[in-house]
Amino acid sequence: MSSASPPATTASPWFRSPSFDFALILCVPFLTWPLVAAANDAWGPVVMAQLILLTATGHYFATFVRAYGDRELFARFRVRFVAAPVVLALTCVGMFVGGYGAQLMVVVTAWAFWHWLAQAFGFARIYDSKVGSFDARTALLDKALVVAGFVGTATLTDGAVATFGKLALDAGMTLPAPATVATLQSVVGVGVLVVAVAYVANLVATIVAGRPWSWQKQLMHVTTIGYYWFAFAWLPNVLIAHVLYELFHDVQYFAITWITCQGRSRRPGVTRWMRSMFRPSWLAAAVFIGTMVALGGVDAFGRHSFDAGMTRNVWLGVFVTLALLHYYYDGFIWKARESALGADLGIQHGLRAAVVPGARHAAAWSAFFLPLGALVFTADPIPPRERVDALAAIAPDDFYSQSELALALTRERKLEDALARYEHAISLNPGFGPTHVLYGAALELHRNADAARDAYERALACPPSDRSHVDAHVNLGALLAESGDLAGGCGHLVQAGETGLAAGVERLLGLSAAMPASEAGSARSYFEAAKAVVDRNPRNGHAQFAMGRQLMQWRQFALSKPHLQAAADLMPDFAPAFLTLAQVQAQLGDGQGALKSAAAAMRLDPNNAQTRGLMERLGGR
């Protein structure tokens, strides 16, 4: 039975179609920027940095589909596909378990940076190949433009400089002096300008000579390099910058994977599950995307669930292994010059790329193991104070580094310098609430209550970020209560939530306890404000506990008992309330009551040594 040859098709300048390319490759920033901006306003940058794992880790799955679902490709690179996972898993898990995770992440970040860069270059060459442009000079300038754009962003924007600087410091690397960084930035700036001029000149010459050129590629360069620059130069928060570009990268990767794997699944030599996953239907596309997001969800769940210890280290090692495999495999399985892959992408006259010989390929692994070994054997821990100074020096316009230095100066009670740093950080990013909260706290230490109140109110006007609104409500509520505005103070403390209100009470009590004997009147006013807050919110168990515990520490046992009893009644699962109540009852001579309370604490927290000791002293078991 004969089969007819497929009809000849006209070469298309698009990956798939104008609508597909505009939506998922060329104009992705116009989709991702509004989404990320809205999500940031709703949830804050910390949550966004966690959620990006859904697509960042998820898109690794697309690589493994191509590597292990294409039997022809697997047969061609069998040794790599079998050996690399074992070698990298042993290395990554061993590094995290051995306490060298920070050193590993420096190398992983370098691979990730190159991976982003390589995707931008690869997409550019695909667009040129689609229109029949195979000029070697143009290809070289494409690579130079992408390298200059990405390296320029990483070295000429303070947010990116601070980000990479923190990675280096975490790994024990000493940062270069500010003068050295400035010289490097000048060199890179000149290099970017030279490459840009050469690129434009070659483009003009190509058009004038009537040679093939792709306007889609030019648009892609603008949106890809421009978006990377925008993310780190225009946006003051590097957490959101990373989320912004990572999502852009992931969407583009989803798109090219769907196109190529759908084309590949039509030909023989693929697994049944790959053919099923890439059949032409909306349901198949949804399953493909859902599976990727599910992988990212597993990673996000594990990082959230495992806070520390061996389990978390193994978990991180496994998922860093997946990341490195993704970067490594992509270096040789997505070659547009390969005739088979070129056919899947609709590229006519594709060429078979040369395979790097095995020995030379193995030697290339030195780019992973040599830097890693150097970091492990030469890096020394950097003291926290030196870290802060180094980052602020090399990234003077990174708001977060300036804020961290201001916090360090505040702790050293160098308040004038701290306030100046906070003001600079706020000028760089006036919409970041946590900086306003810290600035307000420093102003309070500087005895400027009115300015502190303004700072807390500005923090509440910013989008919530981590605990910024809770901390602002707590500090502002306590400040108002201290000044005699009990109604206003309680209002803010209530808005801070149940534990937030208790934190406000603890703050007032702490101030009362910290007052010297010469300021007994101030100490009493702080205590009265705290007591008034508790009296206005008698159903807040945490606040009752805070008051009772402080009174116990002041050896006011009779006054402490009703507050601790209320805390135990309101929070029947809170073991510290029962333990503290038992201690107070014992001091008051109520042995039976103390034994009963201690037994309740023991049931809730049977491993607490303090509770066991009290039980023994009371004659219990």
Side-chain angles (χ1 to χ4, degrees):
M1 180 177 178
S2 63
S3 60
S5 300
T9 58
T10 304
S12 169
W14 306 96
F15 273 56
R16 184 164 187 167
S17 67
S19 59
F20 184 94
D21 285 33
F22 275 122
L24 299 178
I25 295 174
L26 298 176
C27 297
V28 177
F30 302 106
L31 167 69
T32 55
W33 166 236
L35 286 175
V36 172
N40 182 46
D41 289 342
W43 300 319
V46 175
V47 175
M48 286 300 300
Q50 296 169 345
L51 288 177
I52 195 58
L53 291 173
L54 297 178
T55 59
T57 300
H59 84 288
Y60 304 161
F61 174 75
T63 296
F64 304 138
V65 167
R66 175 120 168 84
Y68 296 101
D70 185 339
R71 290 194 178 100
E72 180 183 299
L73 186 68
F74 183 83
R76 188 177 176 194
F77 299 110
R78 183 185 303 273
V79 174
R80 300 181 191 181
F81 289 148
V82 172
V86 176
V87 172
L88 287 176
L90 291 173
T91 301
C92 294
V93 172
M95 293 293 285
F96 276 107
V97 171
Y100 297 105
Q103 287 75 17
L104 174 64
M105 290 310 299
V106 171
V107 181
V108 172
T109 300
W111 277 36
F113 180 79
W114 187 259
H115 174 69
W116 279 5
L117 185 156
Q119 177 169 300
F121 172 66
F123 277 36
R125 297 312 308 146
I126 290 171
Y127 272 120
D128 259 4
S129 299
K130 293 285 240 174
V131 297
S133 173
F134 299 98
D135 180 65
R137 182 188 295 112
T138 299
L140 179 62
L141 286 171
D142 273 332
K143 181 176 288 188
L145 183 69
V146 171
V147 171
F150 277 71
V151 173
T153 303
T155 55
L156 301 178
T157 62
D158 283 67
V161 168
T163 299
F164 291 116
K166 287 174 185 175
L167 281 169
L169 289 169
D170 288 344
M173 300 170 64
T174 302
L175 297 183
T180 304
V181 174
T183 301
L184 174 64
Q185 289 174 328
S186 298
V187 172
V188 171
V190 171
V192 170
L193 181 61
V194 169
V195 169
V197 170
Y199 186 88
V200 171
N202 182 70
L203 176 61
V204 171
T206 298
I207 296 172
V208 170
R211 296 192 297 269
W213 69 286
S214 169
W215 66 263
Q216 291 91 339
K217 182 188 78 171
Q218 312 309 324
L219 175 60
M220 197 210 71
H221 276 322
V222 171
T223 56
T224 301
I225 299 173
Y227 200 46
Y228 190 58
W229 197 283
F230 166 76
F232 283 94
W234 181 258
L235 293 176
N237 194 324
V238 294
L239 284 177
I240 296 302
H242 170 75
V243 169
L244 200 64
Y245 197 82
E246 179 63 55
L247 184 58
F248 167 82
H249 167 85
D250 298 343
V251 170
Q252 283 191 332
Y253 197 86
F254 293 164
I256 192 172
T257 301
W258 181 257
I259 294 171
T260 54
C261 289
Q262 198 172 60
R264 179 66 186 92
S265 64
R266 296 191 185 102
R267 296 185 283 109
V270 298
T271 59
R272 181 179 299 176
W273 59 264
M274 181 176 176
R275 192 181 307 280
S276 175
M277 179 169 284
F278 292 100
R279 64 186 184 277
S281 74
W282 285 104
L283 178 60
V287 170
F288 172 59
I289 294 174
T291 305
M292 287 191 289
V293 172
L295 176 62
V298 171
D299 185 16
F301 171 79
R303 297 194 194 198
H304 177 74
S305 301
F306 308 130
D307 293 331
M310 177 71 74
T311 303
R312 179 174 175 80
N313 287 329
V314 172
W315 188 274
L316 290 173
V318 168
F319 277 91
V320 168
T321 298
L322 296 181
L324 287 169
L325 289 173
H326 166 67
Y327 307 147
Y328 169 54
Y329 290 172
D330 278 6
F332 59 86
I333 69 174
W334 297 106
K335 295 291 186 183
R337 294 182 73 245
E338 293 280 4
S339 55
L341 184 61
D344 295 334
L345 288 168
I347 299 173
Q348 297 184 354
H349 311 299
L351 303 174
R352 187 171 180 83
V355 177
V356 176
R360 205 169 83 197
H361 180 82
W365 275 93
S366 61
F368 176 76
F369 286 105
L370 288 182
L372 189 58
L375 287 171
V376 168
F377 289 108
T378 63
D380 293 317
I382 307 296
R385 191 62 174 82
E386 289 184 22
R387 286 172 55 93
V388 171
D389 285 331
L391 287 172
I394 66 169
D397 289 331
D398 173 55
F399 85 94
Y400 197 80
S401 298
Q402 296 302 315
S403 183
E404 284 191 322
L405 177 56
L407 179 60
L409 292 167
T410 302
R411 289 169 175 163
E412 295 169 1
R413 292 301 188 266
K414 298 177 180 178
L415 297 179
E416 295 290 346
D417 291 339
L419 293 174
R421 293 284 181 172
Y422 277 130
E423 288 161 6
H424 180 48
I426 289 170
S427 71
L428 295 169
N429 186 7
F432 191 64
T435 308
H436 289 287
V437 174
L438 293 171
Y439 180 47
L443 286 166
E444 284 196 70
L445 291 172
H446 202 249
R447 303 286 185 173
N448 193 339
D450 290 338
R453 177 175 176 172
D454 290 341
Y456 296 139
E457 289 174 345
R458 286 196 297 272
L460 292 172
C462 297
S465 178
D466 200 9
R467 284 180 45 89
S468 63
H469 278 198
V470 172
D471 291 340
H473 279 303
V474 167
N475 290 358
L476 182 54
L479 183 62
L480 292 173
E482 292 163 23
S483 64
D485 183 2
L486 192 59
C490 284
H492 281 287
L493 291 174
V494 169
Q495 290 184 70
E498 185 174 355
T499 56
L501 188 145
V505 171
E506 288 175 348
R507 173 184 154 150
L508 290 166
L509 292 170
L511 287 168
S512 179
M515 289 292 105
S518 60
E519 296 188 39
S522 295
R524 186 67 186 174
S525 66
Y526 285 132
F527 173 77
E528 291 296 342
K531 187 174 185 306
V533 171
V534 175
D535 290 345
R536 280 173 171 255
N537 300 273
R539 303 293 300 171
N540 188 306
H542 289 285
Q544 293 282 8
F545 177 70
M547 177 61 75
R549 182 177 56 185
Q550 184 61 66
L551 286 168
M552 186 197 74
Q553 291 171 354
W554 287 339
R555 302 191 68 77
Q556 300 289 324
F557 300 118
L559 295 176
S560 171
K561 181 181 175 181
H563 292 291
L564 293 172
Q565 186 66 64
D569 292 341
L570 292 166
M571 302 184 296
D573 295 329
F574 189 55
F578 288 95
L579 172 59
T580 312
L581 176 60
Q583 292 169 332
V584 166
Q585 289 169 322
Q587 290 290 339
L588 293 172
D590 182 7
Q592 286 299 112
L595 189 59
K596 181 179 177 182
S597 297
M602 180 68 77
R603 284 195 302 272
L604 294 169
D605 186 8
N607 297 319
N608 188 296
Q610 194 175 9
T611 305
R612 288 201 303 270
L614 180 60
M615 288 282 288
E616 291 174 2
R617 290 196 303 273
L618 293 171
R621 292 190 303 168

